[in-house]
Amino acid sequence: MEYVSTELEIKEIPYKDFTAYDSEDIASRFMQVIEAEGPVVDDFLELKVLKSYSIFQRGSLIAPFLRSILISTGAVFTRQLDCDGQEHLVFWPEHFRGHESEIESLKYEDYSDFRPSGQKELVPEGTFRAIGDFPQIEIFNAMKGQLQDGNPVKKEELLTNTNHALGFLVKGRQIRLTLEGVLKAGVANGTFIYNRRGGTIRLR
């Protein structure tokens, strides 16, 4: 499944004037992206909307203003921790409301997709996502896909194959820790079975 970027109207708003700008227009853009691109992680979402106003960094002045508008939309969101223990919100289209706890525990069967990122210089504008921009349920789904034939796979091979499925060629610190965290969550929720003696993973 490809990541399809939403085209937002470009407006020129000076950085110093942004916090006085029409909050309804900002909220509308948030909802437009969420409904079209969700699930979408908070940082990726905020920077995309901000870029549509020709502003390319949040800064201490804009960041809390932007976040308050995003929360005020009442959009459906789940929570996840990144590889450094920082909490992020993942925003979902409205029809996912009521399934937040299932999604957070990676036990939601009605969302089985993942959208590879691809290499930054080769993908369409607005579609490149670093590993921290991925909802963890997408990483989980990609990992499950590597085990669908039922055969056990060595842990390192599983991490490498999942990394490639997500569109990455190398596996740096952030990617490795993220993949290991998702694998650990999948073992904890019973989706994956880890054979410690053989060092292999398989689906339950």
Side-chain angles (χ1 to χ4, degrees):
M1 182 178 183
E2 294 184 0
Y3 194 101
V4 179
S5 180
T6 307
E7 295 298 324
L8 298 174
E9 179 188 359
I10 301 298
K11 292 187 177 182
E12 298 276 348
I13 306 294
Y15 183 92
K16 63 181 179 61
D17 297 335
F18 186 72
T19 56
Y21 182 66
D22 181 4
S23 60
E24 289 188 8
D25 184 61
I26 300 170
S28 174
R29 290 173 186 238
F30 275 134
M31 293 307 300
Q32 185 178 338
V33 176
I34 291 168
E35 287 301 316
E37 298 184 24
V40 55
V41 176
D42 51 10
D43 285 350
F44 186 87
L45 172 59
E46 290 180 2
L47 289 171
K48 182 183 183 74
V49 168
L50 202 57
K51 186 177 179 181
S52 73
Y53 295 105
S54 301
I55 299 173
F56 299 93
Q57 58 182 2
R58 286 168 290 188
S60 59
L61 179 66
I62 284 180
F65 172 72
L66 205 57
R67 179 55 60 95
S68 67
I69 294 176
L70 177 53
I71 296 300
S72 75
T73 64
V76 180
F77 68 84
T78 54
R79 302 174 189 272
Q80 66 183 34
L81 297 179
D82 67 18
C83 65
D84 294 314
Q86 299 297 310
E87 183 179 84
H88 290 274
L89 305 182
V90 182
F91 289 85
W92 294 77
E94 181 61 29
H95 64 274
F96 290 97
R97 189 176 297 278
H99 300 286
E100 293 88 339
S101 62
E102 297 166 76
I103 291 168
E104 287 181 3
S105 64
L106 304 180
K107 295 289 284 185
Y108 185 62
E109 296 293 335
D110 288 341
Y111 184 78
S112 58
D113 295 327
F114 71 93
R115 299 163 294 178
S117 178
Q119 299 305 295
K120 189 171 186 177
E121 65 276 9
L122 299 177
V123 297
E125 177 71 23
T127 65
F128 173 77
R129 296 182 295 167
I131 193 68
D133 297 324
F134 275 80
Q136 287 176 5
I137 195 169
E138 287 194 45
I139 300 172
F140 179 69
N141 290 339
M143 194 170 287
K144 281 200 300 184
Q146 306 308 308
L147 300 169
Q148 287 298 331
D149 63 5
N151 294 320
V153 176
K154 290 281 189 179
K155 175 184 173 183
E156 194 59 36
E157 181 182 352
L158 176 61
L159 296 182
T160 297
N161 291 345
T162 302
N163 185 49
H164 291 166
L166 294 172
F168 302 112
L169 298 180
V170 297
K171 191 162 68 242
R173 171 190 173 275
Q174 188 180 26
I175 289 178
R176 171 173 288 280
L177 291 177
T178 300
L179 293 175
E180 288 181 343
V182 170
L183 175 58
K184 183 178 179 180
V187 171
N189 73 18
T191 302
F192 304 138
I193 295 178
Y194 179 40
N195 182 327
R196 293 183 181 277
R197 178 174 294 180
T200 60
I201 315 292
R202 66 175 175 84
L203 285 177
R204 181 173 293 280

